[in-house]
Structure formats: C-alpha cells, structure tokens
Amino acid sequence: MASNGIKDRVAIVGMGCTQFGEHWDKGPDDLLIDAAYQAYESAGIDRKDVDAYWLGTMGQLSGLTLSIPLKIPYKPVTHVENFCATGSEALRQACYAVASGAYDIAMAIGVEKLKDSGFSGLVVSDPPNDGTLGNMTAPASFSLLAPAYFKKYGLDPDKGKDVLSRIAWKNHRNGAKNPKAQFRKEVPLEQIKASPKVADPLGIMDCSGVSDGSAAAIVVRAEDAHKFTRDPIFIKALSFVAGPGEGPLAQDYDFTTFREVVASAQDAYHQAGVTDPRTQISMAEVHDCFTPTELVLYEDLGFSARGTAWKDVLDGFFDLEGSLPVNPDGGLKSFGHPIGASGLRMMYEMWLQLRGEAGPRQIKDPTLGLTHNLGGMPGRCVSFVSIVGR
Ligand code: COA
C-alpha cells in the first residue's frame, strides 16, 4: 500500500477526556466544553489560539455543533464521520492539516450522547449497502467470530468461553483503576461467564456498554511541540482503510480475521518502522466492542501468531503486568462506546501512559503505544491504527 506517513512530524501537546457514563444532566455541548477546556489547559493555550477544528460525531451534524458551545465563531470546523472509528478519523485529519503547514494548531474532538437519546446499542443500523446485506444487531454480528475461532483452532465452546471471559475480566480489572471509566468495579470471572446471554455465546459481560463522553487532542508541528509542554507525544503512524464490504457474502471469509485491520496494521507498522509488533509495541488500546473482537484483533495486529492468541490471553500476556498490556484504561468494556469519542479516549490513555501520568495503571517505561479503532462489522468495516511514542 502506498502510504508515506508523517512519522515524527506532528505532536500531541494537550489532551482532555470527560468522565464516561450516564450523563443524564449533560448534553453534547457540556461534554464538548469539558473535554476541550481540559485540552486547552493541558497545552497552556486559549480557545482562540486553535486555528482549525475537526469534530467527530455520528449523532450530530455540521461544524456548528462545536462552534456554538465553544464560542469559536468564524473558525474552520469540519465535521467527520467514519462509523465507530469517527474519533480517530478526526485526529487523522487534524494531524494531516498541521503536517501540511496549512495550520499551526489544530484540535481533534469527538463526542457522543447515547444514553438518553434512544440508542440502546441493540438498534439495527442501516449501513451503506447494495441491498444484499442482512441487518443484524452489533452483538449478533460480532458473536459470529467466537464459534468460527473456536472451531478453527480446536477450542471446545466451554474453553472458548473461558478465554472470552478472561478478556472481559482483564478489562474490568483495568477499568477499576480508572476514575474516568463508566464501570469501575472488578468483576469475578464466574460472574462474567454466567452473565445473561445477549447473542450466543456472548453474554452482557462480553459486550461494551452504552455511554456518553467526549475527548479532545491538540496537535502542532513536532518542532513547535516543546513550546506547549515538556512531554509531547509524537505521531509515528496513522493508517485508515475502508474494506470492500464483501465479507459476509464472500465464500472465503471465515470470520476469524478482519482483513481491514491486517491492512491498516501493516501500513502503520511500515510508516513507523515497526518490524516485530509483539516485542516493539509497549502497550495498545484496541477496539474491544465485544470480547471475541479483542481476541481476533490480537492476531490481526500481529501481537500473537494465528491460532495462539487464546493461549496468550490465558497466560496473562495482555494483562497490565504482562508483556504487552492491552486496554490498560479498561477499554470499551469499562468505558462504554460513545462513538465519536472512543478513538480519542484511546489516545488519551496513550498520552497519560507515555507521560508517566497513568497512576495505578502506569506501565513501566513505555516507548511505543498503538491505538486500534474499528467501525462496522466483521467482513464489512473500516479500520484505523495509530502508533505514537515519545
Ligand atoms: N457491561 C457491564 N455491565 C453492564 C453492561 C455491559 N456491557 N451493560 C449494562 N451493564 C450493567 C449496568 O451498569 C447495570 O448495572 P446496575 O444494575 O448495577 O446499575 C445493569 O447492567 C443493567 O444496565 P442496563 O443499562 O439496563 O443494561 P441493558 O440491558 O440496557 O444493556 C446491553 C445491556 C448488553 C444490551 C448493552 O450494554 C449493549 O447494548 N451493549 C452493546 C453496545 C453496542 O452494541 N455497541 C456497538 C459496538 S460495535
């Protein structure tokens, strides 16, 4: 894939992230203001200093959604949407705008207000299609990964369920250490395994929650970064791909991989010069919308060889204390998934970890962090991978 990348040309110099959860008393305006002002403060700038804004949200329309609450009239504000990877798309656009020299300071910000908007997480969406696409809920679509993976790699369903439960257990354990998470309690493995079924074999505890939230990042050219903060983090790679969308109908698609993730990961590794992700990536935030998604992502991102991720899960390889911690902030499992905000929420954890500010979740001396954000469903999706470092 032809992709030159912008390695070390752009830095993140300020970030903000709201508490994620059920904000019955707040609208998108309040959430955007909260995240944006945290980001201004961390970069030591005023809202008027930002030259251009990229807003990621699925539930709202146009740049006015941001310009009105932030009181930033006559600034360029671009609204972007790319399924569940919307927040990452906003970041990508802001970074490229700064790298091009068009602007000195840009903000990427994402928001979603799901809890009292009638969106339950189980609604049947109406994605672009040619009329041949069967409509399924998100848990139903992603549930197809589990039996496919178990069968291909010889796991009996009970053992497979243990592996999925272990992933949810890890993410809730990490989320319990995070004051910004929606769910902040450890959940015993047996309770996870026995949780009521949503789409067999997935129980409630295999699903991410439904929440409200917002997160924001301020980006500048790398050479300017230290004017804003002592500890900027630098963009090593940004890759975004949209797949052909033929998966569910393609005879050779077996639901044990996201080809879009493989393509975006390989592109990102090429941009960043990463040759062995299992040893070179210090930590990752991945799109754990459902537990089998995270299982398959370990292999698609090259963290585990094909057919072995389940063993790495049981061995604790991806635990906070493991060799490659995944979802140290608790992931979608603990944060819920306010669509436009999630990609930037993942980056917020990289920001804290790389600066040594992650408190009880702090990973020792991380050098490279990866975020992965997926939009769509197995065989029919878009995928984003970023790599950032000090
Ligand atoms: N994980 C852990 N706990 C959850 C949870 C989840 N996914 N969803 C709800 N809970 C908890 C709530 O905190 C609440 O606990 P409490 O009684 O102690 O307060 C309890 O379960 C009931 O919550 P409620 O909001 O009534 O749950 P629900 O039945 O409406 O929703 C799901 C449960 C699984 C249907 C919902 O979380 C869901 O739709 N998740 C998938 C979201 C999705 O598809 N996103 C798109 C990804 S691509």
Side-chain angles (χ1 to χ4, degrees):
M1 190 156 96
S3 161
N4 298 322
I6 54 167
K7 186 179 178 191
D8 290 330
R9 284 166 55 193
V10 171
I12 299 177
V13 296
M15 285 205 78
C17 182
T18 68
Q19 167 84 46
F20 278 37
E22 302 187 353
H23 290 296
W24 305 113
D25 56 340
K26 292 194 176 94
D29 289 8
D30 304 290
L31 297 167
L32 286 167
I33 289 168
D34 185 358
Y37 274 79
Q38 285 182 40
Y40 297 140
E41 195 181 326
S42 76
I45 62 171
D46 185 79
R47 72 185 195 287
K48 298 195 183 88
D49 297 329
V50 177
D51 301 313
Y53 289 81
W54 274 262
L55 166 68
T57 180
M58 282 183 81
Q60 314 286 324
L61 292 173
S62 101
L64 290 175
T65 298
L66 190 67
S67 68
I68 295 170
L70 290 192
K71 297 192 178 13
I72 44 166
Y74 310 112
K75 296 266 187 187
V77 184
T78 307
H79 171 220
V80 300
E81 179 282 319
N82 221 332
F83 276 174
C84 293
T86 290
S88 297
E89 184 66 292
L91 178 73
R92 191 173 73 111
Q93 303 301 326
C95 290
Y96 287 164
V98 164
S100 77
Y103 300 107
D104 295 330
I105 307 178
M107 175 181 277
I109 185 163
V111 71
E112 221 70 60
K113 173 77 195 159
L114 298 178
K115 262 325 235 193
D116 48 1
S117 62
F119 183 91
S120 74
L122 289 178
V123 291
V124 176
S125 60
D126 191 16
N129 85 90
D130 59 6
T132 56
L133 181 66
N135 267 349
M136 287 200 279
T137 64
S141 306
F142 284 89
S143 74
L144 300 175
L145 299 169
Y149 185 95
F150 300 164
K151 183 163 180 230
K152 185 163 180 176
Y153 299 116
L155 284 148
D156 72 57
D158 194 58
K159 179 89 171 174
K161 185 73 182 170
D162 284 342
V163 174
L164 300 184
S165 301
R166 183 68 169 62
I167 291 171
W169 173 83
K170 164 185 72 70
N171 290 349
H172 276 301
R173 184 167 168 259
N174 296 349
K177 297 179 170 52
N178 195 331
K180 297 209 167 181
Q182 175 183 26
F183 302 126
R184 296 187 298 278
K185 273 195 285 200
E186 294 196 24
V187 187
L189 260 173
E190 313 74 56
Q191 190 179 325
I192 292 171
K193 201 173 169 188
S195 70
K197 290 280 164 60
V198 175
D200 194 53
L202 307 187
I204 289 185
M205 284 295 167
D206 292 290
C207 304
S208 55
V210 178
S211 69
D212 309 326
S214 178
I218 292 170
V219 297
V220 303
R221 282 185 297 278
E223 61 265 32
D224 297 332
H226 286 99
K227 293 181 200 158
F228 299 88
T229 176
R230 265 191 327 177
D231 293 313
I233 69 171
F234 295 92
I235 302 288
K236 308 289 179 183
L238 298 169
S239 179
F240 200 105
V241 305
E246 63 194 12
L249 294 176
Q251 294 299 318
D252 64 341
Y253 181 61
D254 71 357
F255 287 86
T256 64
T257 180
F258 298 92
R259 291 168 180 163
E260 296 80 355
V261 176
V262 175
S264 53
Q266 285 176 352
D267 181 32
Y269 294 145
H270 168 72
Q271 289 179 26
V274 169
T275 50
D276 182 11
R278 186 174 169 93
T279 57
Q280 288 173 286
I281 299 292
S282 317
M283 61 192 167
E285 284 288 320
V286 307
H287 196 95
D288 59 319
C289 51
F290 301 97
T291 49
T293 318
E294 182 164 327
L295 179 64
V296 166
L297 290 176
Y298 294 141
E299 298 182 7
D300 284 345
L301 292 167
F303 296 166
S304 304
R306 289 279 164 209
T308 67
W310 67 273
K311 290 184 201 146
D312 283 336
V313 170
L314 297 178
D315 288 348
F317 189 80
F318 302 112
D319 290 359
L320 204 50
E321 311 76 12
S323 304
L324 201 178
V326 171
N327 291 329
D329 72 352
L332 297 165
K333 183 75 265 261
S334 301
F335 270 79
H337 183 23
I339 299 157
S342 290
L344 285 155
R345 182 270 302 160
M346 296 172 178
M347 189 55 76
Y348 183 69
E349 180 69 2
M350 297 295 109
W351 164 259
L352 294 177
Q353 291 282 357
L354 287 166
R355 290 159 54 95
E357 295 171 351
R361 306 185 311 286
Q362 185 62 48
I363 293 160
K364 196 163 177 292
D365 298 328
T367 52
L368 281 185
L370 178 148
T371 71
H372 165 265
N373 204 186
L374 187 80
M377 61 178 79
R380 202 174 179 89
C381 61
V382 300
S383 172
F384 170 86
V385 174
S386 84
I387 298 170
V388 288
R390 285 193 292 223

